[in-house]
């Protein structure tokens, strides 16, 4: 197969082959990052805009570095210092940037579907870097890339996603990617944040952490999203830590080769005991390294497939 | 292959590769630090064959690897295929003699791109180019140092090289448009 999509908006519309194609392409871009000259000329002369209407450090920096490594020019646009604050609509902001000949738009927005909306009228390529609680496709891609790198495959693996599923775009994109690639997905966390309705996607839902992690090949811990939390959903951080934190007692009950993942930023002592985050089985920093490679691959592929 | 004409059978192809290896051995000493890199994907088979043949001549292991020039093509913005293939370099290229190997040279643009890809990896002492088939029609000033055979082809003809490991036979065909 070959890649034909000028945008990357979500995981659910991709086929398993398309996901694997991105992972294979990412592997070649990861190799670029390991050379003495960590740069590739594939986006030379192209302009990439980081259009972030919601706070982000790691994703924005990862995309910025990815675009730089591909020789593109990059403009960072954040709401704190922008006309969105003066009442300009997202559409007008994007059209103004396109009038300045931007070629690729990396979009983060609190509204689900923001990237899809922009892709309907922009000539340039749009990459979804997180839209509300809907999706964060490059995070899911870097997670499956990391799993495949360590386990050699995705199909047949037991992957447990633990934490705040309801408000998590990372969880949704991961679920789609993992299911499409043939993994068995278990979701676990407080019942208010892990509703049974996720079973309709094809996941197993349990509120018992011991049950969730016992046979897991991969444990992906999600951050408790204070900024999206409603007080009623959640009694308190301490109670969460007591009931759902990955501590040593729980770690001892997992498979010895189970990978421990976290999309970051980690809250040490909340989702994960501090030294477990730093242990050999933790691939949290590999995820960060791989995120750069995956984003380079996505930038390259959407640009290649855009006829404009 | 319909309407295609076989330019080389397995025995001829292997003889041509063996001759290229002998020519390389005339210019590079066994003690020299060298490696053979096949340009993805067609050159990989030739690189493997040359490394084996040189290894036999010199009675030592000759490192062979692969190099992909997809990111360095000058038509990258013309939306040619986005496929990328593995680059595997056996050790550091800096200070070494690198023999680039490709199955067919025509425009010379892949070789130009491969040299850019090589520069991103380090600075070889010497770079040489070996090709199995030179079909002419150059568009950039790049010439092979070692060639198996030169053939005249039309602009729309295709020259297809098959390798035993990947395609089930060693052979070269000319396929008219």
């Amino acid at each position: 197969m070959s890649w034909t999509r000028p945008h990357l908006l979500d995981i659910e519309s991709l086929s398993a082959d398309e996901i694997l194609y991105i992972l294979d392409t990412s592997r070649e871009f990861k190799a670029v990052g390991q050379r003495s000259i960590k740069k590739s000329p594939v986006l030379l002369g192209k302009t990439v805009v980081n259009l972030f209407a919601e706070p982000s450090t790691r994703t924005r920096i990862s995309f910025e570095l990815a675009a730089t490594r591909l020789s593109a020019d990059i403009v960072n646009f954040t709401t704190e210092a922008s006309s969105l604050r003066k009442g300009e609509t997202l559409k007008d902001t994007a059209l103004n940037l396109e009038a300045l000949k931007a070629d690729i738009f990396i979009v983060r927005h609190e509204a689900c579907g923001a990237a899809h909306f922009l892709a309907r009228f922009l000539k340039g390529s749009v990459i979804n870097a997180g839209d509300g609680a809907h999706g964060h496709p490059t995070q899911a891609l870097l997670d499956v890339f990391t799993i495949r790198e360590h386990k050699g495959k995705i199909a047949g693996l037991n992957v447990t996603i633990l934490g705040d599923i309801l408000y998590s775009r990372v969880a949704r994109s991961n679920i789609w990617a993992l299911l499409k690639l043939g993994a068995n997905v278990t979701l676990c966390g407080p019942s208010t944040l892990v509703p049974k309705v996720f079973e309709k996607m094809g996941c197993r839902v349990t509120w018992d952490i011991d049950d969730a992690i016992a046979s897991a090949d991969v444990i992906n811990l999600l951050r408790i999203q204070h900024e999206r939390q409603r007080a009623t959903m959640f009694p308190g951080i301490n109670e969460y830590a007591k009931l759902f934190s990955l501590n040593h007692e729980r770690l001892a009950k997992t498979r010895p080769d189970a990978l421990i993942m976290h999309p970051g930023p980690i809250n040490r002592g909340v989702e994960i005991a501090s030294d477990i985050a730093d242990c050999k089985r933790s691939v949290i920093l590999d995820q960060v390294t791989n995120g750069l490679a995956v984003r380079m691959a996505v930038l390259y592929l959407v640009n290649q497939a855009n006829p404009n | 292959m319909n309407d295609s004409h076989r330019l080389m059978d397995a025995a001829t192809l292997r003889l041509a590769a063996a001759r290229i290896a002998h020519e390389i051995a005339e210019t590079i000493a066994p003690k020299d630090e060298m490696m053979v890199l096949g340009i993805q994907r067609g050159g990989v088979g030739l690189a493997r064959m040359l490394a084996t043949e040189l290894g036999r001549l010199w009675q030592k292991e000759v490192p062979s690897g692969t190099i992909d020039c997809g990111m360095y093509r000058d038509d990258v913005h013309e939306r040619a295929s986005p496929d990328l293939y593995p680059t595997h370099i056996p050790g550091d290229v800096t200070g070494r003699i690198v023999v680039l190997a490709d199955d067919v040279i025509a425009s010379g643009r892949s070789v130009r791109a491969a040299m850019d890809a090589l520069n991103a990896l380090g600075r070889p002492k010497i770079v040489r180019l070996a090709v199995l088939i030179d079909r002419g029609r150059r568009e950039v000033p790049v010439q092979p140092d070692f060639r198996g055979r030169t053939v005249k082809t039309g602009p729309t003809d295709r020259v297809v090289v098959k390798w035993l490991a990947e395609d089930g036979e060693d052979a070269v065909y000319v396929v008219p448009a």
Side-chain angles (χ1 to χ4, degrees), chain A residues 1-3 21 25 28-29 32 35-37 39-42 44 46 300-301 303-304 306, chain B residues 68 70-72 75-87 117 119-122:
Chain A
M1 68 152 283
S2 197
W3 181 263
Y21 188 89
T25 305
E28 301 316 314
F29 282 104
V32 171
R35 291 174 193 161
S36 58
I37 296 175
K39 214 149 168 137
S40 151
V42 293
L44 192 63
K46 299 289 168 182
Y300 165 71
L301 290 173
N303 181 62
Q304 283 280 302
N306 194 333
Chain B
D68 186 55
M71 292 181 200
Y72 298 89
D75 58 359
V76 71
H77 292 311
E78 287 163 29
R79 277 80 193 184
S81 161
D83 296 354
L84 300 176
Y85 299 97
T87 291
N119 282 340
L121 297 163

Side-chain angles (χ1 to χ4, degrees), chain B residues 46-118:
Chain B
L46 181 63
R48 196 169 46 219
M49 218 176 245
L50 292 177
T52 309
E53 198 62 38
L54 285 166
R56 199 155 56 200
L57 285 170
W58 290 336
Q59 292 298 304
K60 67 167 204 176
E61 186 88 2
V62 172
S64 120
T66 61
I67 189 161
D68 186 55
C69 61
M71 292 181 200
Y72 298 89
R73 294 163 58 115
D74 53 15
D75 58 359
V76 71
H77 292 311
E78 287 163 29
R79 277 80 193 184
S81 161
D83 296 354
L84 300 176
Y85 299 97
T87 291
H88 167 71
I89 310 293
D92 192 355
V93 299
T94 298
R96 291 241 208 151
I97 300 175
V98 173
V99 176
L100 290 174
D102 209 351
D103 54 351
V104 180
I105 186 167
S107 71
R109 288 178 192 268
S110 326
V111 176
R112 191 213 55 77
M115 284 195 283
D116 276 358
L118 193 54

Side-chain angles (χ1 to χ4, degrees), chain B residues 2-5 156-158 174-177:
Chain B
N2 281 344
D3 297 331
S4 66
H5 138 77
T156 55
D157 292 347
R158 286 191 309 129
V174 176
V175 188

